Amino acid sequence: MLRSLVGSEMCIRDSVIPGRAPRSDWLPIEQTKFQMELPDADQISELCLFLTGEVPASMGLAIYWSLAPDHDQFALLGAITVHRPSDVFRVAWSKQGLPPGTAARLGVSVEPLQALAQMEVPLSSADNAREFTQGLARDLFHYLQSHDHTIGPEWTAVLDKWYQRVEGKLVHDPMFWKPHRRADD
């Protein structure tokens, strides 16, 4: 359990890594800093963290990561706050071609929201998917629109309606375009 500067409970009850059991074994490093070891980090591409308990509205958690062997350089992974109490984070180390068995360390630091706002937080996987899909849809829309003289003006309205539909779907599910696999597939 994490404790804020004033002593009220602020905690990450669990961290969830797909394919692994939820964990809550955060080790205190300082009064406002905590860490967790992640074995076999080479097999992790994303993780989910969420807040539970009472969290002061003016505070949040900055989430960092570092790789073995030294764990001496931490990079910002993201942040969670009472205003966004959970998130799925795509981990940057997954693209580094780590050797099997590499350990990672997650670090969590309790920070004022003003400090979190100053940090350059990487895009979440949902934001990445949203940007990709918007860019692709916009490119298709403009390409087809440039052929207005060939396909006719009535298609411009159809394309505009399609683009608005894509934008609406992105609000609810940034991964709507990705086929959902059934459990028995």
Side-chain angles (χ1 to χ4, degrees), residues 6 16 33 47 53 60-61 67 69 75 77 82 131 141-142 145 148 151 160 169 184:
V6 295
V16 177
K33 296 183 189 246
L47 52 92
L61 301 176
L67 294 174
L77 181 61
V82 69
E131 281 190 7
F141 178 78
H142 290 304
Q145 197 176 39
D148 185 41
I151 61 176
D160 189 43
K169 285 184 173 187
D184 58 349

Side-chain angles (χ1 to χ4, degrees), residues 47-125:
L47 52 92
C48 176
L49 298 173
F50 51 94
L51 292 173
T52 60
E54 294 296 317
V55 179
S58 63
M59 303 296 281
L61 301 176
I63 303 160
Y64 298 90
W65 64 274
S66 179
L67 294 174
D70 299 329
H71 297 291
D72 58 351
Q73 294 183 354
F74 280 84
L76 185 64
L77 181 61
I80 52 179
T81 68
V82 69
H83 308 289
R84 187 178 179 107
S86 67
D87 208 344
V88 175
F89 300 96
R90 181 157 300 276
V91 294
W93 71 73
S94 67
K95 294 182 174 72
Q96 295 183 4
L98 301 175
T102 300
R105 183 175 290 164
L106 284 183
V108 175
S109 177
V110 180
E111 303 283 347
L113 290 182
Q114 291 175 336
L116 291 176
Q118 302 300 318
M119 297 177 181
E120 288 191 35
V121 178
L123 291 177
S124 71
S125 57

